[in-house]
Amino acid sequence: MAQPRQKIRIGDLLVKNGIITEEQLNKALATQKLQGGKLGNTLVELGYVTSMQFLEFLAEQLKISYVDLKRYNYNEETVKLLPETAARRFRAMVLKDEGSQLLVGMADPTDLYGYDELCKILKRPVVMAVIRETDLLRTLDTVYRRTQEIESIAGELDEELAAGVSNLEQLLIETDVEDAPVVRLLRSLFEDAVQVGASDIHIEPDEKVLRIRQRIDGVLHEQVMKEKRIAPALVSRLKLVCGLDISEKRLPLDGRFNISVKGRSIDVRMSTMPVQYGEAVVMRLLDQSGGILSLEQIGMDSELLNRFRRHLHRPHGLVLVTGPTGSGKTTTLYSALNELNIAAKKIITVEDPVEYRLPRINQVQIHTRIGLDFARVLRSSLRQDPDIIMVGEMRDEETAEIALRAAMTGHLVLSTLHTNDAVSTALRLLDMGAEGFLVASSLRTVLAQRLVRRICASCQCDADDDPIHQNWLDSYMPGTAITTFKQGRGCPLCNNTGYRGRIGIFELLEIDTVLADALRRGASAEFANKAAKQHGFVSLAASAFELAKRGVTSIEEVLRVAGSAEELPLSEVVVKVEA
């Protein structure tokens, strides 16, 4: 039997049990009256109770269970017994089908109207549980994917094209196309990508199929559709949104546009590439609604952050952030700029493209077709009396030399470079043609970074025996069992990957007098040797290994970052762990 529902005054009960005071309750009620929302959320926001404390108290008073969705293995088909619109409206999800009744989790189980509506929709007795709202919304985004909707609309568009649309371009240009299949299909693609936290969408025509791939936590996930003929319609529509020439299909094109998805402002950077069976499109999704992260939120440990900050607040010098595409370099640079952005400092950025708009900062967009390249803008920037200059990327010798000279003549210069690690970055500048004395005089610090996947908290378990990983551990850390580390089994919450989300790993190299002298003399081997032995230097692989020791990531991810077990220098980790 479903338990009877009754109205309770949660605020009075919190006071009665001594969890909050009468004064705190009155202040929370006043705040709730002004801002709206639930009393529980208001109490948490004001810091009077923690989220966990409130939910456990609520469950105790209602005599129902509290379910932690991060560690609950639900069944997707069971969750879908409740339509998505109702699940989001009433902040609820079906947790378990018990035959005669359903276990339903609600963010607010005191919502009597929502409870009655759920009973009507599900047409079965309902037993309630309390769940955290943030975990609920994240789970709903994972379960209610747009995969079937995308397939359905793709089929509809394919049929329309098969029927013989005489002028596809004219159809796409018409203003009244919001209900056109191509528009609805793109809308569903973006909604699905935002729901699962994808960073990129790839549209790739093949010989017989169309592949739609999304990069989630750095790994591509593929959806294959047989409706290959819809690819030109998708590409043409995207070109129109970007203001590109839809008739140009022989050359790569770049564009950008902004869309609103589920109340979030998403900036889309699009690149097309002519391939064998049509045009491939890659779209990078940048969520503008989340704002710029602070340096504390980037993920550096406090010691490394303090060292990096010390160089950021110097009056001059070159600070480089390095790593491959998608390693979070831009996020780190913008976080640094956000901290340096004060009224007393003039900041100019030279970018291609401008990814985030920042107030007070003069941001310049590169246009190579009209000759507005990095070097030209950088030369002009120096005549604008800047205190700080950010160069999006050092791509050639001329740009590198101008940036180095600017850093040497009283400016703080921030930039990025595509290199494998911090040690090779200074040597890369020399390879680009920069003079050794320039690099030695200007370069202050190099921050190399990568992103490794976090083990899913919902399905985390001890790592299975793996002979390859165990042999590697025996070589570097005798007596350490692979089972002391963690891995993810795979569950619906992480799309059965065992990972959910990513975290940064960092490698900071500070150019001291010893290293500067080696650079000045062009002694590459000596520089690399002394840099690796610098006091306080911890490699990327060692940083990843430390996360594996703490159960944040897996040994598999450590080896992926290191490249191979033989390349993994663990001497400093062993010392650190034993200390």
Side-chain angles (χ1 to χ4, degrees):
M1 292 291 293
Q3 69 269 42
R5 308 293 298 144
Q6 58 181 351
K7 185 71 175 177
I8 65 170
R9 295 176 62 86
I10 192 67
D12 293 337
L13 289 173
L14 286 167
V15 173
K16 182 179 178 181
N17 285 269
I19 296 174
I20 62 173
T21 64
E22 189 75 39
E23 182 183 355
Q24 289 175 329
L25 174 60
N26 292 332
K27 186 175 180 179
L29 290 171
T31 303
Q32 181 192 25
K33 188 175 181 180
L34 288 172
Q35 301 178 355
K38 302 288 185 180
L39 177 61
N41 292 337
T42 303
L43 289 168
V44 173
E45 289 170 3
L46 291 173
Y48 297 153
V49 294
T50 65
S51 176
M52 181 66 71
Q53 187 180 14
F54 178 78
L55 292 174
E56 288 179 344
F57 177 80
L58 186 61
E60 181 183 349
Q61 295 301 316
L62 292 172
K63 294 179 173 57
I64 60 177
S65 59
Y66 164 71
V67 174
D68 184 357
L69 286 180
K70 289 181 178 178
R71 291 172 171 77
Y72 188 81
N73 289 323
Y74 54 84
N75 181 283
E76 286 196 18
E77 296 306 314
T78 301
V79 175
K80 289 179 180 178
L81 292 173
L82 184 64
E84 181 182 5
T85 52
R88 294 190 182 277
R89 180 184 178 189
F90 301 117
R91 295 293 192 262
M93 68 175 281
V94 182
L95 298 172
K96 188 176 181 182
D97 186 346
E98 298 176 340
S100 60
Q101 60 188 16
L102 297 172
L103 176 65
V104 177
M106 287 187 74
D108 180 16
T110 64
D111 182 1
L112 298 181
Y113 172 75
Y115 172 81
D116 291 339
E117 289 299 309
L118 290 173
C119 291
K120 292 178 183 177
I121 295 170
L122 295 170
K123 298 177 181 178
R124 261 198 276 177
V126 168
V127 176
M128 301 305 301
V130 61
I131 53 181
R132 195 194 304 264
E133 185 173 4
T134 53
D135 294 341
L136 167 69
L137 295 176
R138 190 181 298 116
T139 304
L140 295 182
D141 286 343
T142 301
V143 172
Y144 294 104
R145 294 287 303 273
R146 297 289 191 271
T147 306
Q148 293 181 348
E149 180 181 313
I150 290 169
E151 291 177 352
S152 175
I153 301 174
E156 184 182 338
L157 177 59
D158 187 63
E159 290 176 4
E160 186 173 304
L161 294 173
V165 177
S166 58
N167 192 337
L168 176 62
E169 282 75 14
Q170 185 60 37
L171 172 67
L172 294 168
I173 293 172
E174 291 175 359
T175 56
D176 188 22
V177 292
E178 285 303 308
D179 291 327
V182 64
V183 177
R184 289 189 286 117
L185 178 55
L186 287 172
R187 188 186 306 129
S188 295
L189 280 174
F190 284 118
E191 288 179 354
D192 185 55
V194 171
Q195 278 189 193
V196 297
S199 60
D200 303 85
I201 301 175
H202 297 238
I203 300 175
E204 301 169 342
D206 210 333
E207 183 179 8
K208 297 180 180 179
V209 296
L210 174 64
R211 302 181 191 279
I212 305 293
R213 301 203 281 176
Q214 297 175 337
R215 190 175 295 280
I216 304 170
D217 294 337
V219 178
L220 285 171
H221 298 258
E222 184 175 81
Q223 180 178 359
V224 180
M225 294 186 289
K226 63 181 183 297
E227 296 86 1
K228 178 183 178 295
R229 79 180 85 196
I230 71 175
L234 291 176
V235 176
S236 296
R237 181 63 192 174
L238 289 168
K239 285 183 178 179
L240 284 172
V241 175
C242 289
L244 301 176
D245 183 1
I246 62 174
S247 64
E248 181 54 79
K249 301 176 182 179
R250 302 165 299 170
L251 297 173
L253 299 173
D254 295 314
R256 71 184 301 166
F257 59 95
N258 188 274
I259 56 172
S260 178
V261 180
K262 294 183 174 296
R264 296 159 67 178
S265 176
I266 306 296
D267 199 39
V268 183
R269 288 165 44 193
M270 187 182 89
S271 172
T272 71
M273 177 70 70
V275 294
Q276 187 174 7
Y277 298 105
E279 287 181 278
V281 175
V282 175
M283 292 177 285
R284 170 68 58 89
L285 309 183
L286 301 169
D287 190 348
Q288 301 283 346
S289 59
I292 306 296
L293 297 177
S294 67
L295 283 173
E296 284 80 6
Q297 294 173 305
I298 293 297
M300 299 184 208
D301 64 60
S302 57
E303 180 186 350
L304 187 144
L305 177 57
N306 289 334
R307 291 164 56 200
F308 182 60
R309 239 189 199 126
R310 186 170 66 250
H311 293 284
L312 283 180
H313 291 280
R314 283 185 169 185
H316 55 81
L318 174 63
V319 176
L320 287 176
V321 180
T322 73
T325 302
S327 60
K329 300 187 301 295
T330 302
T331 301
T332 300
L333 273 186
Y334 272 102
S335 298
L337 285 176
N338 199 39
E339 180 168 309
L340 296 169
N341 186 12
I342 59 175
K345 299 285 186 181
K346 173 151 186 171
I347 304 176
I348 298 177
T349 71
V350 190
E351 305 173 66
D352 183 24
V354 174
E355 296 192 8
Y356 295 95
R357 278 77 171 180
L358 295 173
R360 197 188 289 120
I361 294 179
N362 297 273
Q363 297 174 271
V364 183
Q365 167 73 54
I366 292 301
H367 291 287
T368 53
R369 290 184 180 178
I370 61 173
L372 193 66
D373 56 19
F374 277 105
R376 184 170 183 177
V377 176
L378 194 49
R379 280 194 297 268
S380 299
S381 298
L382 295 175
R383 295 192 286 271
Q384 292 283 313
D385 188 30
D387 297 290
I388 301 168
I389 301 172
M390 194 272 274
V391 184
E393 182 184 344
M394 287 190 178
R395 296 182 179 176
D396 52 53
E397 179 184 350
E398 186 179 12
T399 304
E401 185 170 341
I402 297 171
L404 287 166
R405 291 189 182 278
M408 194 170 61
T409 55
H411 304 88
L412 178 66
V413 180
L414 311 179
S415 189
T416 69
L417 203 60
H418 285 80
T419 57
N420 292 327
D421 52 44
V423 175
S424 63
T425 301
L427 304 180
R428 171 74 179 125
L429 289 174
L430 297 177
D431 290 340
M432 290 173 68
E435 296 289 345
F437 76 91
L438 264 181
V439 179
S441 303
S442 305
L443 186 60
R444 293 290 176 263
T445 189
V446 181
L447 179 74
Q449 64 181 74
R450 294 284 194 286
L451 295 175
V452 295
R453 292 181 291 174
R454 289 178 179 270
I455 297 173
C456 175
S458 178
C459 59
Q460 187 184 73
C461 61
D462 291 338
D464 294 331
D465 288 327
D466 186 312
I468 296 175
H469 293 170
Q470 188 60 60
N471 288 338
W472 165 73
L473 277 175
D474 290 339
S475 300
Y476 288 95
M477 297 187 69
T480 304
I482 190 68
T483 51
T484 61
F485 298 92
K486 301 294 182 181
Q487 68 179 25
R489 288 287 186 195
C491 66
L493 195 63
C494 61
N495 292 316
N496 294 312
T497 63
Y499 299 96
R500 186 172 178 85
R502 290 187 290 177
I503 185 171
I505 56 172
F506 304 91
E507 173 181 293
L508 185 69
L509 178 65
E510 299 173 280
I511 307 301
D512 54 23
T513 54
V514 174
L515 296 180
D517 181 62
L519 286 173
R520 193 174 289 108
R521 292 184 284 107
S524 301
E526 180 185 344
F527 175 85
N529 183 52
K530 290 183 177 179
K533 296 178 180 178
Q534 187 183 65
H535 177 71
F537 177 79
V538 178
S539 69
L540 286 168
S543 298
F545 187 81
E546 188 62 30
L547 290 179
K549 291 281 291 183
R550 288 159 42 195
V552 177
T553 192
S554 66
I555 287 294
E556 182 183 7
E557 282 291 281
V558 176
L559 291 174
R560 183 177 67 84
V561 172
S564 69
E566 288 74 20
E567 296 176 14
L568 188 57
L570 284 179
S571 57
E572 65 268 36
V573 180
V574 178
V575 172
K576 186 174 182 181
V577 171
E578 291 177 349

